[in-house]
Amino acid sequence: MSKNLKICFAAALMLSAIFSTGCSSKKENSAGAGKQTEIRVAYWGAPSEKEIINKTISNWGKNNPGIKVVLEHIPSGTYTDKVLTEIAGGNPPDIIFCEVNIFVTFFYKNALLDLTPFLSGDKGFSINNFFPEVVSRFTRNGKLFCIPRDTAPFACIYYNKDLFEKSNVPFPKDNWDMNEFLATAKKLTIDDKGRHPGDPEFNEKKISCYGYWGWTWHNFVYSYGGKLVDDIDDPKTCLLDRKEAVDGVQAFVDLSYRHFVSPKPDALTNSGMSINQLFIMGRLAMFQSGIWETPNLRQLVGDKFKWDVAMFPKGPKGKRGFGTGGSGYAILKTCKNPKEAWEVVKCLAGDEGQEMLADTGLAQPANRKIAGGKHWAGDLNPPQNKKMLNEAVKYVYYEPFHPLWREASDKYIGPEMDLIVHNTVPVKEGLAKVAVKVNKILKQK
Amino acid sequence: MINKFFVYLVLSLFGISMIFPFLWMLSTSLKEPSQIFTSTLQLWPTPIMWSNYIEAWHAIPFGKFYLNSIFVAVAVTFGQILTSSMAAYAFARLKFPGRDKLFFAYLATMMIPGMVTLIPVFILLKMFGWLDTYKALILPGIFSAYGTFMLRQFFMTLPTDLEDAARIDGCSSWRIYWQIILPLSKPAIATLATFTFLGNWQSFFWPLIVTSSEHMKTLPIGLSYFQDIYSTNWTLLMAASVIVLAPALIVFILNQRFITQGIALTGLKG
């Protein structure tokens, strides 16, 4: 009995001996590497994205032997926590990958280095090549803090061409408006006996194919002339209780509860299917999202049917507006070798990486030249109309730039919107509540 | 008889509801992506996609992550048993001034949430130059107030007569600990080992924070690679989950009775 224990402890000792020698040999290696400057990059991304970033950096490294780039991949769900802990613990990376909302968090932690001096000192690089709307998100008080890599307006309406042809409905055009959009969605919504919403005896409980589904109510607020706050760059008042915003959200809710063209949230949960799945199975004719659905759809739709994207429709008064994502690379203030880090940022947000990313369909290049070129606008892979996104960028609305906006959104807007889209709280009443709470949060800064 | 039947019925219902998520995981891991979301409940996948497992295994450096996870979990378990049992012996049997006060102070550290000590420990490890090494993954985990408490409670139940007899024969404290107390405490040690191993096997945040290079990462971090902001590859995620879960499941099945004992012994759940 005690023999067993002794063996156990002997094993433990051996293990500890192994790992201590393992460590010392590693140290020798890094000491032998010489005078390379090490630049650490924290980023997240799907395996395909990771591969592109690795490839870009290793190609670049051949011509830049003086800089050793260490890529640290972090799962997206814990990215901010991990990087903030590293900053607080005094072991920060040099460069961080930043999504447009995570950017706000790091900006207010005062963690980002002003990149403007590098712009003026570097003749080989011009920020004017990038979409100005995207650059402006990363600019505060005339200083640029992040070099954009991609942009992602929530402006895509993916549609199943075969279903349109079967119902004899013309394909959507980018300049369509809300009325045309609703009429189209109604024609494509079919119950078990082939009837459409508005037909006598249409059975909304047995819909076999839905016309439309979209997750962003924001687009409706913007298209109806509303806004989330008075000034995105310096929000002071929440405007969600104004008439335009209420009308927009009402139009969004009506799609499910009045026109029956969209699945109700409960029906969707009960179907046990994701939106992508409904679309792929031909039980949903159109859905709204960002361009990032593309790699998945290319793989899963295959030859089952033809599909494309159209721009989200104009509002009743011809107004356009979409929420947006996007990302870029920033250098942290604590970086000891900012010159070298700048070179790495230029590579990460550079042409080669953006082109490869564009080829996968995952992200729209932030560089206008590439977005207008053969890797994006001229690319013939589905969705062929993705070039419309280069126009859509002009109408994007970023989320309000405020340190507590995330909190306001998660704590107040999200839960109340949940009640509204379940039709348990009237739109006007719900949004009035939201505005009061959000206004309180906007005052603490 | 009827009473017994009823009890079995209720217990079976609970049992099925507990095991169902695992079956579902197993089933999803063998499906085609297009089969996951169907309107009918389909537990048996057709066709059975064994290739999901091969694909999941190659999607991330599973072999390396596996070795890391096993090495770290085993090392922490041994380390924790060693330090906890020695401390527990001192607190249970040796007499020195301030012993109980010290014990309660140590016990009180259980009240401090891990998040509070996260950054100080991180800074400490950085000062030692241990970040991104096995030391960072293992050493902070080998001291445990919980383990010390549990073993102390167990050691107190052992009859002092054994010890007195040994002392009369000229046995040293070390030898009593090593040759009498430890062999008698096998059930308690097995319980602690099980808890520690399982806890470490699924530990996610600490390894995430202290490692940065790919070859130092552990399985739970590897699992999170399958989930991205915009999309999750469910079939591969579930196949990977089965691979990761297997050793923990084996440890649990082998040591099930110790886990129940451990809860009964301390009134605490690991």
Side-chain angles (χ1 to χ4, degrees):
Chain A
M1 181 190 296
S2 65
K3 220 181 199 175
N4 281 342
L5 277 169
K6 268 184 193 159
I7 290 169
C8 288
F9 282 122
L13 282 177
M14 267 170 61
L15 283 174
S16 60
I18 291 168
F19 87 73
S20 55
T21 52
C23 291
S24 57
S25 69
K26 194 187 153 205
K27 257 178 210 153
E28 279 157 29
N29 281 342
S30 58
K35 283 176 193 162
Q36 276 188 322
T37 311
E38 195 179 278
I39 298 292
R40 287 170 56 204
V41 184
Y43 73 107
W44 76 87
S48 59
E49 213 174 333
K50 203 176 149 188
E51 207 174 291
I52 289 172
I53 292 166
N54 280 326
K55 213 165 143 190
T56 328
I57 285 293
S58 75
N59 287 347
W60 177 86
K62 285 174 201 151
N63 301 321
N64 296 272
I67 303 174
K68 187 184 168 208
V69 182
V70 180
L71 293 169
E72 297 178 0
H73 182 263
I74 300 168
S76 59
T78 45
Y79 181 79
T80 321
D81 289 343
K82 158 115 182 172
V83 175
L84 286 177
T85 311
E86 286 190 325
I87 292 175
N91 187 39
D94 298 299
I95 296 172
I96 58 168
F97 186 46
C98 251
E99 182 260 354
V100 293
N101 295 317
I102 290 179
F103 172 73
V104 180
T105 308
F106 284 106
F107 176 81
Y108 278 110
K109 298 268 178 208
N110 205 12
L112 304 178
L113 186 72
D114 173 15
L115 301 180
T116 328
F118 294 105
L119 290 179
S120 41
D122 195 326
K123 286 194 180 113
F125 181 85
S126 171
I127 197 68
N128 297 328
N129 290 340
F130 292 76
F131 286 111
E133 294 81 5
V134 184
V135 174
S136 79
R137 173 59 167 193
F138 294 133
T139 309
R140 296 296 287 176
N141 308 322
K143 293 175 180 169
L144 183 71
F145 290 93
C146 187
I147 302 298
R149 184 194 72 175
D150 65 274
T151 181
F154 308 153
C156 302
I157 296 214
Y158 291 84
Y159 64 97
N160 179 332
K161 284 186 162 180
D162 290 19
L163 286 181
F164 273 72
E165 277 166 357
K166 217 167 85 186
S167 300
N168 252 329
V169 182
F171 296 148
K173 295 205 178 65
D174 289 335
N175 63 354
W176 60 340
D177 62 20
M178 282 286 170
N179 289 332
E180 291 168 84
F181 159 73
L182 188 60
T184 307
K186 279 184 179 168
K187 279 182 214 154
L188 291 159
T189 304
I190 303 166
D191 73 0
D192 58 335
K193 296 211 174 95
R195 294 166 300 209
H196 303 284
D199 288 356
E201 285 173 54
F202 169 74
N203 187 350
E204 55 122 338
K205 294 218 163 60
K206 287 198 170 161
I207 294 175
S208 62
C209 180
Y210 286 99
Y212 171 82
W213 189 86
W215 49 264
T216 163
W217 48 269
H218 301 74
N219 286 5
F220 286 85
V221 171
Y222 302 138
S223 307
Y224 274 74
K227 282 173 162 186
L228 301 189
V229 291
D230 54 342
D231 179 0
I232 290 172
D233 285 325
D234 183 20
K236 294 207 167 61
T237 319
C238 174
L239 301 184
L240 276 172
D241 55 349
R242 303 295 156 91
K243 185 180 180 301
E244 295 84 5
V246 173
D247 288 349
V249 175
Q250 189 65 57
F252 177 75
V253 174
D254 283 349
L255 293 175
S256 299
Y257 294 93
R258 200 170 134 215
H259 306 301
F260 308 115
V261 298
S262 283
K264 292 170 192 160
D266 293 337
L268 197 61
T269 315
N270 289 338
S271 79
M273 273 185 273
S274 71
I275 288 305
N276 281 355
Q277 211 57 40
L278 280 175
F279 184 71
I280 289 156
M281 290 172 67
R283 294 190 52 196
L284 176 66
M286 303 185 277
F287 79 98
Q288 167 275 328
S289 189
I291 195 65
W292 58 81
E293 311 278 356
T294 297
N296 228 340
L297 289 182
R298 279 184 191 168
Q299 192 197 347
L300 294 173
V301 173
D303 301 329
K304 279 184 210 154
F305 56 82
K306 292 191 289 300
W307 55 282
D308 206 345
V309 290
M311 207 187 295
F312 187 83
K314 285 188 256 189
K317 288 180 186 152
K319 195 153 167 39
R320 277 195 191 287
F322 326 108
T324 186
S327 54
Y329 291 93
I331 302 177
L332 293 185
K333 265 188 182 162
T334 42
C335 173
K336 290 202 182 75
N337 304 294
K339 258 189 199 160
E340 285 79 3
W342 167 251
E343 295 300 320
V344 178
V345 164
K346 278 199 297 180
C347 161
L348 286 165
D351 296 2
E352 194 194 8
Q354 290 201 17
E355 282 168 6
M356 284 199 271
L357 210 58
D359 285 338
T360 67
L362 181 70
Q364 177 187 7
N367 186 319
R368 283 188 279 185
K369 270 193 203 151
I370 301 170
K374 62 177 183 192
H375 291 277
W376 190 258
D379 177 48
L380 294 178
N381 287 307
Q384 281 186 19
N385 191 33
K386 54 186 169 296
K387 59 180 176 292
M388 66 85 184
L389 284 168
N390 295 345
E391 173 74 11
V393 175
K394 294 177 189 158
Y395 306 101
V396 295
Y397 287 77
Y398 286 91
E399 294 211 358
F401 207 105
H402 189 283
L404 298 174
W405 182 258
R406 273 296 78 198
E407 196 185 328
S409 176
D410 293 348
K411 259 191 180 154
Y412 303 124
I413 305 180
E416 197 63 38
M417 276 312 294
D418 217 39
L419 297 176
I420 292 174
V421 301
H422 279 85
N423 211 21
T424 42
V425 169
V427 175
K428 203 174 167 187
E429 197 180 294
L431 289 180
K433 264 193 227 162
V434 168
V436 171
K437 286 177 183 161
V438 172
N439 277 333
K440 252 187 217 158
I441 270 205
L442 290 180
K443 286 208 181 83
Q444 342 166 348
K445 200 169 187 174
Chain B
M1 184 62 198
I2 289 173
N3 208 346
K4 210 169 182 182
F5 170 78
F6 194 70
V7 168
Y8 273 96
L9 185 76
V10 171
L11 287 179
S12 312
L13 282 178
F14 275 111
I16 288 166
S17 67
M18 287 293 186
I19 207 167
F20 191 77
F22 291 99
L23 293 179
W24 193 250
M25 176 177 78
L26 206 60
S27 143
T28 306
S29 75
L30 292 168
K31 281 179 181 171
E32 278 183 322
S34 61
Q35 283 181 312
I36 317 167
F37 302 103
T38 47
S39 39
T40 50
L41 191 72
Q42 194 188 3
L43 203 55
W44 191 258
T46 42
I48 296 181
M49 301 282 291
W50 294 108
S51 60
N52 284 343
Y53 281 83
I54 297 166
E55 212 180 311
W57 183 270
H58 289 295
I60 60 170
F62 240 120
K64 183 69 195 162
F65 290 0
Y66 229 97
L67 284 178
N68 285 344
S69 267
I70 290 178
F71 177 56
V72 170
V74 168
V76 171
T77 307
F78 275 115
Q80 208 179 101
I81 289 169
L82 189 68
T83 61
S84 295
S85 63
M86 280 161 58
Y89 176 64
F91 284 132
R93 286 296 156 81
L94 301 185
K95 293 193 177 74
F96 54 91
R99 182 188 76 174
D100 289 346
K101 275 182 198 137
L102 201 63
F103 176 67
F104 284 115
Y106 190 33
L107 207 55
T109 61
M110 279 173 75
M111 299 295 151
I112 303 171
M115 285 294 150
V116 176
T117 54
L118 181 76
I119 288 177
V121 176
F122 185 88
I123 293 173
L124 206 62
L125 291 179
K126 180 183 158 36
M127 278 159 50
F128 293 159
W130 287 0
L131 287 178
D132 207 24
T133 66
Y134 286 119
K135 289 176 203 165
L137 287 168
I138 294 167
L139 293 181
I142 67 170
F143 304 99
S144 159
Y146 168 74
T148 308
F149 167 65
M150 198 190 104
L151 291 182
R152 174 187 177 266
Q153 298 310 95
F154 188 83
F155 292 171
M156 305 258 280
T157 64
L158 299 174
T160 39
D161 299 353
L162 287 172
E163 222 174 314
D164 294 340
R167 251 187 228 288
I168 290 167
D169 291 342
C171 199
S172 68
S173 293
W174 170 258
R175 203 159 165 201
I176 293 172
Y177 157 76
W178 189 248
Q179 285 195 321
I180 297 175
I181 301 283
L182 280 190
L184 284 174
S185 309
K186 256 184 38 177
I189 288 172
T191 308
L192 180 62
T194 314
F195 278 146
T196 313
F197 184 87
L198 291 180
N200 251 277
W201 191 256
Q202 61 204 16
S203 161
F204 172 71
F205 201 65
W206 181 251
L208 174 78
I209 294 294
V210 296
T211 63
S212 45
S213 36
E214 200 80 359
H215 66 271
M216 289 305 302
K217 288 182 175 160
T218 55
L219 285 173
I221 304 177
L223 269 191
S224 68
Y225 284 8
F226 290 92
Q227 269 179 309
D228 192 48
I229 297 190
Y230 300 129
S231 61
T232 298
N233 194 332
W234 290 107
T235 50
L236 292 192
L237 177 65
M238 289 304 149
S241 301
V242 172
I243 300 175
V244 171
L245 194 69
L249 214 56
I250 293 168
V251 169
F252 178 79
I253 291 169
L254 289 179
N255 291 353
Q256 202 180 8
R257 67 195 170 100
F258 295 123
I259 292 179
T260 338
Q261 268 176 11
I263 296 168
L265 194 63
T266 59
L268 288 172
K269 222 173 132 228

